[in-house]
Amino acid sequence: MHRADSEETMELWDVYDIDRQKTGKLAQRVNGKSMPEGEYHLVVHICLFNAKGQLLIQQRQLDKIGYPGLWDVTAAGSALAGENSASAAARELWEEMGIRHDFHGERPFYTINFPDGFDDVYLIEKNDVTLSDLHLQQEEVRDAKWATLEEIEEMLDSGEFVPYYRHLVRVWFEMVKHRGSTTRE
């Protein structure tokens, strides 16, 4: 089950090994606590772009433990026990923004390894989403808006955006229409 940081609800994750194989163990989310050595969990980030090349961003609630009040990508969160990457991405996008997207058959654009796990990043385009269509998850999302790369870079400079690496943010905007690592696919 999904929870807001201010609530005392249990969230369980599948535990993976270093090769991204499920171990059969479960871990309980504890804010601020790292996974035990050699154990990892799965996280997803969804960056939703419109036809104008703008990214839909959300402002985190003020009572969030991590990065309260800062602007962030469209949706993100940990995969829950039993979920794969695509089903976690679909759930997070629906829960946080009220947007349905079928991730079945989609692979993440890339995966970033971080100390506690694997972070799958999905870059998607949906030209039919308007701000008035959104149903924000009040426990987690304070506001939402469309932003250009330049606007997000300004927010990074002012400390208003989750402190992602600037080059990583540029990759989202560059790669949304391309797969692979070369200009010839």
Side-chain angles (χ1 to χ4, degrees), residues 140-157:
E140 297 205 17
V141 181
R142 186 168 187 220
D143 199 3
K145 66 181 179 179
W146 295 101
T148 63
L149 172 59
E150 294 76 20
E151 290 167 330
I152 292 173
E153 287 183 327
E154 288 173 13
M155 295 169 84
L156 283 167
D157 291 340

Side-chain angles (χ1 to χ4, degrees), residues 4 82 86 91 106 116 139 150:
R91 177 186 49 76
E106 281 191 45
D116 280 351
E139 299 86 10
E150 294 76 20

Side-chain angles (χ1 to χ4, degrees), residues 86-152:
S87 61
R91 177 186 49 76
E92 288 290 349
L93 186 59
W94 172 249
E95 283 182 357
E96 293 184 9
M97 305 299 277
I99 299 171
R100 293 230 187 258
H101 181 79
D102 183 6
F103 287 86
H104 180 75
E106 281 191 45
R107 294 181 297 157
F109 264 66
Y110 61 86
T111 299
I112 294 179
N113 295 310
F114 66 101
D116 280 351
F118 311 97
D119 185 354
D120 286 347
V121 180
Y122 291 87
L123 307 175
I124 60 174
E125 289 183 279
K126 287 181 88 62
N127 298 324
D128 59 346
V129 174
T130 65
L131 294 178
S132 62
D133 294 332
L134 302 179
H135 298 284
L136 306 180
Q137 183 182 27
Q138 291 189 2
E139 299 86 10
E140 297 205 17
V141 181
R142 186 168 187 220
D143 199 3
K145 66 181 179 179
W146 295 101
T148 63
L149 172 59
E150 294 76 20
E151 290 167 330
I152 292 173

